[in-house]
Amino acid sequence: MTIFGAEIPFVEHCGIEEVGTVDGNTRTRLRMAPQPFQLNNIGIVHGGAICTLLDVAMGSTCRVSLGKPVMTLDMQVAFVSPGRGVLLAEGRILKAG
């Protein structure tokens, strides 16, 4: 399985799937239907699984826009509500550079 043309084994293991691009490839959309191994001890999606989905959304948008591999150097996440059910993520570039 590929995500916007890139084969990333860990992403496949996590069950992250591409949904599509928007606005001429300036936004990428992904989905993840969490499996039991991605839940924490109180039955909600583990923060690490959510961060993986976010990381892939950000990286996919940059890679699709630039046309070359990229990597995340820094990432901060503030959780505002629990993750339940199918999760959707949209990566978009607010400012390049």
Side-chain angles (χ1 to χ4, degrees), residues 10 17 22 34 36-37 42-43 46 48 52 54 67 73 80 85 87 92:
F10 185 63
E17 305 169 307
V22 181
F37 74 89
I42 57 173
H46 190 282
T52 297
L54 295 173
L73 297 178
V80 295
L87 303 178
R92 56 188 163 140

Side-chain angles (χ1 to χ4, degrees), residues 13-96:
H13 172 74
C14 292
I16 297 173
E17 305 169 307
E18 76 175 61
V19 174
T21 60
V22 181
D23 295 335
N25 291 342
T26 61
R27 297 177 185 211
T28 58
R29 291 185 176 161
L30 303 163
R31 71 184 290 277
M32 181 177 72
Q35 301 301 308
F37 74 89
Q38 293 167 306
L39 304 180
N40 65 17
N41 63 323
I42 57 173
I44 60 176
V45 182
H46 190 282
I50 293 171
C51 287
T52 297
L53 178 62
L54 295 173
D55 181 51
V56 176
M58 294 185 306
S60 295
T61 301
C62 294
R63 187 173 35 75
V64 167
S65 295
L66 294 172
K68 57 184 175 181
V70 300
M71 69 175 70
T72 302
L73 297 178
D74 185 37
M75 181 173 141
Q76 294 180 12
V77 177
F79 297 100
V80 295
S81 65
R84 292 188 174 98
V86 175
L87 303 178
L88 302 173
E90 179 177 282
R92 56 188 163 140
I93 298 173
L94 299 177
K95 179 182 174 189

